[in-house]
Amino acid sequence: MSAKRTERLLNLVIALLSTRRGFTKHELFEEIELYGEAATPEAREKLFDRDKAFLREQGIPVESASEEYEDNTVQRYRIRHDAYRLPGVQFTPEESAVLALAARMWDQASLGSAAARALRKLQARGVLPDDAGRIPLQPSIRTNDPYFDDIWRAATTRVPVTFSYRASGSDTVSVRRVQPWGMGSRFGHWYLVGYDLDRRAERIFRLSRMQAPVRLRPGSYTVPEDFDIDASLASLDDLFTVRPAEVELLPGTGTALRLQAQSVVPGTGGRDRLLLQVRDLDSLAADTAALGAAAVAVDPPEYVDAVRNALTGALEAQRRPLPEFTLAEQSAPARRPGYGAQDHLTRLLDLVPYVLANQGADMDETAAAFGVSKEQLAKDLDLLFVSGPRHYPNGLMDVSFDDDRIYIENADNLSEPVRFGMDEAAALIVGLDTLSALPGIGSSAAVAGAVGKLTEAAGEAGAVGTAVAARLDDTAGADVLVETQLAIAGARQLELRYLVPRRDEVTLRTVDPRRLFSVDNIWYVEAWCHRAEALRNFRVDRILGVRDTGPALTHAPETDASFPDSLFTPGPQDTLVTLVLDPASLWVAEAYDAERRAALPDGRTAVELRTADAAWIPSFMGRLGGGAAVAAPAELREAAQSWLQEAAGNYPAG
C-alpha cells in the first residue's frame, strides 16, 4: 500500500468516528484532501467505494443511512464507537495462556501477522502472553500447501475462484469454477470446500492437487447458513477408508512400512511382500517412491500408477536442462502479497491505543512489539501526527517521540482497539479450536472458556469458526503425545523405542522429555538423550513404544525459553545443496531453511540448502515426484539421476 493510500484510509476512519450524524460523500471529499487527487469525479467515487469495502473487510464497521434533504435522498456514512471498539473482556491467567499459545501456532504461517495483531488488541483486555511459557507444548499450523493464501482470501471474502485441478488417481487436469465456502486441514493436507458451478454441487478439492495459480473472479455469493466445514470434511472419512495394499521390499529395507504390515509373505525376486491396510494411498505411494529400487508397489493398480508417476516424474525433472542462474542472499517471499495494506493500516490503528495504555513507551521496545524497524515506527508516528480533520486542526493528535519515548495525546476517537478483522478472528478462534482437538489438551476448561469469550467479543467475525478448521495430524502417535505430556508434567524419564529411517533400524533411547512442539504438521519431543548426552528432538510418529523408567534426572527448560525455530543446526562440515523447485514445492525452501535463492526464467526457483548428510536427497526427490531436482553439487546431481533411474526401472513402460 502506498503511504498516501494509508493516510487517506486513516483519515477516513478518523473522520467517520468523529461524527454521530455522519458525512455525505461530498463532505468527506472536502474533509479528506487526498480524494482530490483522483483524475475525475467518477474515479473519486470508485476510490471511495473501494475504501469503504476495504475498511469493512478489516472489521471496521462503516455504516450508511439515507437522509431526506430538499426532496433529495443522500447517503451519510459513519462509524459508531460501540461497533468499532473491541468489547471489554477479561480472561483468566489459564485462558490467557492458551490464547497466547493459539496465536503462536501461526508464527511461521500465513496468518502469523494477524495473530500478532489480535493478541496486541487483547493485551489491553487482560491477556498475558508470557503465561504461554508455562505450557510445555507448542503446536504449529501448517499452511505451506500450494495456493493457501489465495484460497484463504477467496473463502473469507466470498470471492469466486477458477483453477486447474487433477483429481486423485487421474492424470487429467480440468478447469474448475468454484464458490469457496470454507477450507480446512485433514490427514495432513488442506482442502477447499465449495460449490462447483459447473457440476452444480458441493465439492472438496485438495490444495496440493491444484495445477495452476488460483484466479479470483468478479462477483460474490452467499454461503448456506447450515454450512459447517467440519461436517463437510468428515465426508473425507469415506474417501479415506482403510483398504488393502501390497508392496514388495528387499530384505532389511523399509522398516517403517514393515512395522505397518498386517503380514509378510514371500514375494518375487527374493523380496518380501507386505500386506498392508492403509487409509491414504497417496501417502503410501510417496513413502514407496522414497525407498527407490528397494521397493516395488504391487496392488492396487492406482497405487502402482502413483509410484510409477512419482519416480518417472522425478527422473524427468532431474534430466531437465538447467538454465543459468545466480543464487543470492534474500529473505523468503512475502507470504501474503497484497495484504500489506491491511498490515499497515491496522498497525497504525493499533499503535494509538497501545501507546495510550503505555505512555512513554520505549521506541525500540515498541518497534519490536509491532514487528517493524525503529525507522518504520518513526514514519508511522509521523503519519499519525499529520492525520486528522482537515478543517479542525484542534482535532489533530499530539505525537511526541523525540527522546525515544512515545507520547500521544488528544486521540480519544482511536483510544480503544478496533474490533477483530476476519484474519485476526480466524487466527485465534481456529487456533483455539485446533488446540481443543489435541490429545491431552482438548479437555481443558481454559480452551473452552477462551473460545466462548473470544467468539462473543469478535462479533460477526467470530463466524469464521464455521468456515475454517485446522486439524493437526493427531492420529499418528496420539497415545505417545498424551504419555509424553504426562511425563513432562510429572518430571518422569522415558525409554523410547525409536525408528531411525536413515539407518532403517529401531533403537532404544532413554530420555528426559522437556517439551513438545510441531513443525510442518509433524510432532516432536524435545528431550535430554542420555545416550547422546545432549538435547535431541524425536519425531513422535517414529516413537514405537514408551516406558516410564522413573524420575527424570535433568531440569526442565526455563519458562521463557523459546521453542526452536528450526530443526537444523548449521555446522562447519555441512554440505551445500542446490535444488530447483516447482512453484508447488516452494514450501521446501522454508521447511529446510534455504539460505540463498534465485528465480528462474521458466517459473521455477533455485534454492540452496545446508545439510550434514546429503545421502537422503535422492530419496527426497523421489518423494516429491517431479516437484524438485538436484542442481548442485554435480556429483549429487548425477547420483540422484542414477538413483531415480534405477528406481523407475521397477516400473517398465506399458
Side-chain angles (χ1 to χ4, degrees):
M1 176 195 278
S2 68
K4 285 189 175 181
R5 188 186 179 200
T6 302
E7 183 179 353
R8 188 180 70 244
L9 286 166
L10 181 60
N11 280 319
L12 180 58
V13 171
I14 294 172
L16 294 178
L17 279 169
S18 69
T19 175
R20 290 186 178 181
R21 182 186 179 193
F23 287 114
T24 66
K25 282 190 292 187
H26 296 293
E27 288 171 342
L28 288 169
F29 295 158
E30 286 290 320
E31 186 70 28
I32 301 172
E33 188 173 5
L34 288 173
Y35 278 116
E37 296 186 0
T40 64
E42 292 77 12
R44 185 174 55 191
E45 296 269 350
K46 290 181 179 179
L47 192 62
F48 176 67
D49 289 340
R50 285 198 297 269
D51 287 349
K52 281 189 305 175
F54 180 85
L55 292 179
R56 287 166 175 163
E57 184 180 326
Q58 311 317 313
I60 299 174
V62 178
E63 296 182 352
S64 63
S66 299
E67 181 181 272
E68 298 296 331
Y69 180 74
E70 295 182 355
D71 297 327
N72 291 319
T73 300
V74 296
Q75 291 290 117
R76 290 190 172 274
Y77 300 91
R78 68 171 183 169
I79 299 174
R80 288 188 298 109
H81 283 250
D82 60 335
Y84 171 87
R85 293 173 173 174
L86 184 68
V89 59
Q90 294 295 320
F91 297 94
T92 67
E94 292 77 16
E95 291 167 347
S96 297
V98 295
L99 270 169
L101 183 58
R104 289 195 326 193
M105 293 173 73
W106 300 97
D107 275 355
Q108 304 302 319
S110 298
L111 295 179
S113 61
R117 293 196 307 267
L119 206 59
R120 281 200 303 267
K121 291 177 179 180
L122 286 172
Q123 285 175 344
R125 302 300 191 214
V127 174
L128 307 175
D130 291 342
D131 285 354
R134 301 184 306 169
I135 302 179
L137 181 78
Q138 179 56 75
S140 63
I141 296 177
R142 172 184 181 273
T143 61
N144 55 23
D145 283 56
Y147 318 121
F148 176 91
D149 295 337
D150 297 312
I151 296 299
W152 164 260
R153 184 178 181 186
T156 55
T157 58
R158 303 291 186 255
V159 176
V161 294
T162 299
F163 52 87
S164 296
Y165 190 73
R166 177 186 60 81
S168 177
S170 172
D171 293 328
T172 303
V173 176
S174 60
V175 176
R176 315 302 283 267
R177 300 186 306 131
V178 178
Q179 294 176 347
W181 288 354
M183 62 188 301
S185 65
R186 201 171 181 86
F187 308 118
H189 299 284
W190 278 92
Y191 294 86
L192 162 67
V193 181
Y195 184 77
D196 190 312
L197 293 169
D198 296 311
R199 290 152 184 81
R200 299 183 180 181
E202 180 181 330
R203 290 289 186 268
I204 300 177
F205 306 91
R206 198 164 100 179
L207 269 59
S208 61
R209 296 197 181 113
M210 294 180 179
Q211 298 291 298
V214 173
R215 301 188 185 280
L216 279 62
R217 297 302 187 187
S220 61
Y221 53 90
T222 301
V223 177
E225 291 185 2
D226 60 350
F227 172 74
D228 186 274
I229 186 65
D230 277 320
S232 292
L233 291 181
S235 65
L236 291 173
D237 292 340
D238 295 330
L239 298 178
F240 287 89
T241 54
V242 175
R243 56 189 303 188
E246 298 181 16
V247 59
E248 291 188 349
L249 301 175
L250 290 175
T253 65
T255 302
L257 289 183
R258 291 177 185 274
L259 291 168
Q260 301 175 38
Q262 301 291 306
S263 60
V264 180
V265 299
T268 59
R271 292 184 172 89
D272 300 321
R273 177 169 294 195
L274 277 58
L275 307 182
L276 305 167
Q277 294 288 326
V278 298
R279 184 180 292 274
D280 188 348
L281 282 179
D282 285 347
S283 295
L284 178 62
D287 292 341
T288 306
L291 290 170
V296 180
V298 176
D299 192 64
E302 57 265 41
Y303 162 49
V304 178
D305 289 341
V307 178
R308 176 188 292 110
N309 292 339
L311 291 172
T312 55
L315 181 58
E316 290 172 3
Q318 194 60 51
R319 288 172 171 170
R320 187 175 174 181
L322 290 173
E324 292 186 5
F325 60 86
T326 301
L327 294 167
E329 297 281 351
Q330 60 183 42
S331 59
R335 283 223 174 212
R336 299 188 72 178
Y339 273 67
Q342 173 182 346
D343 290 339
H344 197 190
L345 179 64
T346 54
R347 184 171 72 242
L348 291 168
L349 295 177
D350 289 349
L351 187 56
V352 176
Y354 177 90
V355 174
L356 290 175
N358 300 276
Q359 290 283 17
D362 179 78
M363 284 282 289
D364 291 317
E365 293 177 0
T366 303
F370 282 81
V372 297
S373 66
K374 185 177 178 181
E375 292 72 21
Q376 180 60 55
L377 177 61
K379 292 179 181 178
D380 289 348
L381 293 169
D382 281 334
L383 182 55
L384 287 172
F385 181 70
V386 300
S387 297
R390 179 183 180 186
H391 299 300
Y392 303 94
N394 290 336
L396 293 174
M397 283 178 276
D398 295 323
V399 181
S400 169
F401 57 96
D402 292 337
D403 59 353
D404 272 359
R405 294 286 176 178
I406 311 171
Y407 298 90
I408 295 180
E409 303 290 345
N410 198 30
D412 291 345
N413 285 337
L414 299 182
S415 63
E416 296 287 339
V418 64
R419 279 183 181 268
F420 290 129
M422 186 69 77
D423 278 7
E424 296 164 346
L428 293 187
I429 293 176
V430 175
L432 287 168
D433 183 55
T434 304
L435 282 178
S436 71
L438 288 179
I441 295 293
S443 60
S444 170
V447 173
V451 168
K453 293 177 182 179
L454 190 64
T455 301
E456 182 177 357
E460 291 183 6
V464 73
T466 62
V468 182
R471 291 291 177 263
L472 299 180
D473 186 6
D474 56 2
T475 57
D479 291 340
V480 174
L481 277 176
V482 174
E483 292 184 61
T484 307
Q485 288 180 63
L486 292 174
I488 293 171
R492 306 294 294 177
Q493 186 177 94
L494 297 176
E495 181 185 76
L496 310 179
R497 289 183 60 241
Y498 190 68
L499 172 66
V500 185
R502 292 189 190 181
R503 298 201 301 268
D504 228 349
E505 66 176 359
V506 176
T507 63
L508 287 178
R509 306 290 185 93
T510 299
V511 304
D512 295 340
R514 294 158 54 108
R515 298 185 295 184
L516 282 161
F517 63 97
S518 69
V519 175
D520 197 25
N521 210 51
I522 297 172
W523 281 99
Y524 296 84
V525 54
E526 179 189 87
W528 179 267
C529 178
H530 289 278
R531 190 173 88 172
E533 296 187 344
L535 276 178
R536 291 290 185 266
N537 297 320
F538 298 92
R539 275 183 58 157
V540 169
D541 60 344
R542 293 176 182 167
I543 298 175
L544 309 178
V546 175
R547 186 171 68 90
D548 188 313
T549 56
L553 302 179
T554 61
H555 295 291
E558 298 296 327
T559 56
D560 60 350
S562 60
F563 283 87
D565 292 326
S566 171
L567 295 171
F568 179 72
T569 303
Q573 304 302 317
D574 293 339
T575 299
L576 294 178
V577 175
T578 302
L579 303 180
V580 176
L581 306 175
D582 282 352
S585 297
L586 264 178
W587 62 269
V588 172
E590 180 186 344
Y592 291 87
D593 300 319
E595 297 184 344
R596 297 193 298 165
R597 304 184 184 211
L600 305 188
D602 59 6
R604 294 183 295 169
T605 302
V607 300
E608 184 181 71
L609 314 179
R610 184 184 291 271
T611 180
D613 178 11
W616 61 279
I617 295 291
S619 171
F620 190 50
M621 297 302 98
R623 179 179 293 280
L624 292 177
V630 180
E635 58 271 21
L636 182 60
R637 178 172 171 81
E638 294 174 4
Q641 182 167 323
S642 298
W643 189 94
L644 291 167
Q645 188 167 330
E646 182 183 6
N650 285 337
Y651 305 89

